[in-house]
Amino acid sequence: MGERMKAYIEEAEAALLHTYNRYQIVLDRGDGVYLYDIEGKKYLDFVAGIAVFALGYNNSEYNDALKGQIDKLLHTSNYYYNVPAIEAAKKLKAASGMDRVFFTNSGAEAMEGAIKAARKYAYLKDGAKDHEIIAMEHSFHGRTMGALSVTGNPKYREPFEPMIGNIRFARLNDFDSVLSQVTDRTCAVILEPVQGEGGLIPAREDFLRKVRALCDERDILLIFDEVQCGMGRTGYLFAWQRYGVKPDIMTAAKALGCGVPLGAFLMTERVGQHSLTAGDHGTTYGGNPLAGAAADKVLELFEKRHILEHVREVAPYLEMRLDELAARHDSIVERRGLGLMQGLVFDRPVSDLIERALNKGLILINAGAEIIRFVPPLIIEKEHIDEMIGILEECL
Ligand SMILES: *Cc1c(COP(=O)(O)O)cnc(C)c1O
């Protein structure tokens, strides 16, 4: 590491709160699927800012759309309409199969809104204030208090208790565990169709179908957190479309803004008509003109560049190459995931391996101590997958 990078890292450690064990690089710019640090070293990026930069770095159409909007109007209050947010909402509504959109600034905030909508829906039915939510073990929904309350990782929750209360945990792909947590107070079931942080675990279709039927029967709202697995990652714009099991409320973020902080919670008309109304929820920045312009352009480019078709084409190749790698190395227990959201499960901690890869110019990230997560830009090509496998193989 050069002197300049070392100096920046020291300054960062002196000024920033120590909530991350950061990798020792200072990133400067990106181009396509490559990133460059401030000393000019090039990295192949299989993280995409954690499933954010779907379109790749320095996409000129996307950048131009943002620059144009900056020169026009960056922000205005949600008490007024703005064209970029209207265009984005229209596109998102059509593409997601949902009917109503509320823009937020992040995934966690989208989850907060989803939880509030579900509680309000139940409150309007019976006026009770003790409704319960069923969430999944090993889930991840964000770090704010509501989102954290439904996050199935006790280590993340415990220091900050008490949580929002009346949350019960069940196990993904174990329908009986969900059924056993249902009471006459249950207002929502929250789950990720593909658990990300929790270890790249796809829901099984029969499990989702059974939960859907249960929710229909008991008028419980089904909430899908598509913050990580949505926006094309599974080869469908949203994972529910791949499964054919539609939620009542859905959240999105990460690749929705492709770098501009942006999230959304969406719902069906039925929930929209019977939950949050004027005065119930709000945000200063959420869905401002810059964020709207970002989402609008991202959704336009997904279509124009045939991103979903591309993911469906390259994802099986990534799976195949990872499977081959797993077969060659005893330390790899299994590969799992869906689309361009894959994990390699090792029999040992992966932090050393990730650091060796970084030194060789490959950016990877973990999901839990023993899993390497692969969430590259969705524009990744087979040659990049070959390059990644080559470096990873050397590191192994
Ligand atoms: C990242 C993530 C969140 C939280 O999003 P932030 O934008 O970091 O608040 C929520 N749910 C899932 C599934 C995520 O992967």
Side-chain angles (χ1 to χ4, degrees):
M1 188 192 313
E3 284 309 312
R4 192 156 156 254
M5 196 130 94
K6 215 164 131 193
Y8 271 122
I9 289 172
E10 271 165 24
E11 282 172 350
E13 290 306 319
L16 293 168
L17 191 66
H18 292 150
T19 49
Y20 292 95
N21 290 318
R22 289 183 165 86
Y23 294 102
Q24 299 296 295
I25 55 171
V26 183
L27 291 169
D28 185 43
R29 64 187 182 88
D31 193 29
V33 297
Y34 293 96
L35 283 167
Y36 298 82
D37 68 22
I38 57 170
E39 290 167 356
K41 182 173 167 183
K42 184 179 178 183
Y43 302 85
L44 174 62
D45 179 26
F46 263 71
V47 177
I50 311 196
V52 167
F53 244 105
L55 297 167
Y57 301 99
N58 201 19
N59 179 299
S60 58
E61 264 185 89
Y62 172 81
N63 288 1
D64 287 345
L66 291 187
K67 287 174 197 165
Q69 191 57 45
I70 286 170
D71 288 338
K72 261 173 129 176
L73 183 65
L74 261 180
H75 180 75
T76 177
S77 161
N78 274 312
Y79 281 103
Y80 315 100
Y81 299 98
N82 75 77
V83 174
I86 295 168
E87 293 294 340
K90 232 167 51 184
K91 284 198 179 75
L92 192 55
K93 176 179 156 159
S96 68
M98 296 279 125
D99 300 306
R100 300 274 156 190
V101 183
F102 184 104
F103 287 116
T104 66
N105 307 291
S106 67
E109 274 177 83
M111 290 309 300
E112 299 290 330
I115 292 167
K116 280 179 73 175
R119 279 190 168 180
K120 180 75 190 292
Y121 178 88
Y123 173 82
L124 286 176
K125 278 197 299 185
D126 63 10
K129 288 177 268 183
D130 61 349
H131 292 109
E132 297 172 355
I133 293 173
I134 299 173
M136 300 298 134
E137 289 173 11
H138 307 296
S139 63
F140 182 82
H141 299 293
R143 304 298 198 141
T144 55
M145 288 307 275
L148 188 58
S149 299
V150 293
T151 288
N153 183 341
K155 233 178 46 199
Y156 287 170
R157 293 196 311 265
E158 262 165 29
F160 311 103
E161 286 178 353
M163 294 284 108
I164 63 169
N166 289 16
I167 310 295
R168 292 162 170 264
F169 285 95
R171 285 182 299 280
L172 190 77
N173 293 334
D174 179 351
F175 179 69
D176 289 340
S177 78
V178 178
L179 199 56
S180 71
Q181 296 299 334
V182 174
T183 74
D184 61 351
R185 320 304 318 136
T186 309
C187 72
V189 174
I190 298 181
L191 60 89
E192 297 153 85
V194 186
Q195 288 190 338
E197 219 31 58
L200 292 302
I201 303 167
R204 283 205 324 265
E205 189 180 319
D206 65 311
F207 170 77
L208 293 183
R209 285 196 189 287
K210 284 183 196 160
V211 173
R212 178 67 274 178
L214 171 72
C215 289
D216 287 340
E217 199 177 294
R218 312 282 288 250
D219 198 19
I220 294 167
L221 296 180
L222 180 56
I223 302 174
F224 280 179
D225 178 345
E226 296 235 13
V227 169
Q228 189 163 157
C229 66
M231 291 307 293
R233 206 116 302 262
T234 67
Y236 290 75
L237 193 65
F238 292 102
W240 83 257
Q241 294 159 329
R242 177 172 179 142
Y243 285 103
V245 177
K246 190 176 177 178
D248 303 293
I249 301 175
M250 193 189 82
T251 59
K254 291 199 162 91
L256 179 58
C258 272
V260 170
L262 175 62
F265 63 97
L266 303 96
M267 58 191 75
T268 61
E269 191 64 18
R270 182 173 65 91
V271 180
Q273 291 296 335
H274 301 282
S275 61
L276 303 175
T277 57
D280 274 340
H281 200 55
T283 164
T284 297
Y285 272 125
N288 83 0
L290 182 71
D296 183 33
K297 189 50 86 174
V298 167
L299 290 165
E300 182 193 314
L301 289 174
F302 261 66
E303 199 150 300
K304 208 165 129 188
R305 301 279 168 88
H306 307 291
I307 296 290
L308 302 179
E309 292 83 347
H310 180 72
V311 172
R312 286 179 216 166
E313 196 194 310
V314 295
Y317 187 72
L318 175 63
E319 287 184 4
M320 187 188 84
R321 298 300 317 258
L322 290 175
D323 282 338
E324 289 168 1
L325 194 74
R328 285 196 296 271
H329 295 275
D330 289 340
S331 59
I332 304 174
V333 179
E334 68 165 320
R335 174 201 57 85
R336 64 191 183 207
L338 264 192
L340 288 182
M341 186 174 173
Q342 296 287 336
L344 275 185
V345 185
F346 285 75
D347 65 359
R348 63 197 70 174
V350 293
S351 51
D352 285 358
L353 188 55
I354 290 176
E355 234 159 273
R356 282 202 296 278
L358 194 64
N359 286 333
K360 289 184 184 292
L362 170 64
I363 295 187
L364 294 171
I365 199 149
N366 64 313
E370 300 186 340
I371 302 173
I372 292 185
R373 165 166 38 174
F374 302 85
V375 284
L378 300 184
I379 58 159
I380 204 96
E381 297 286 352
K382 287 177 183 169
E383 72 206 53
H384 303 125
I385 293 171
D386 292 339
E387 186 184 347
M388 179 275 289
I389 293 283
I391 299 175
L392 194 53
E393 185 108 59
E394 276 176 41
C395 297
L396 282 162

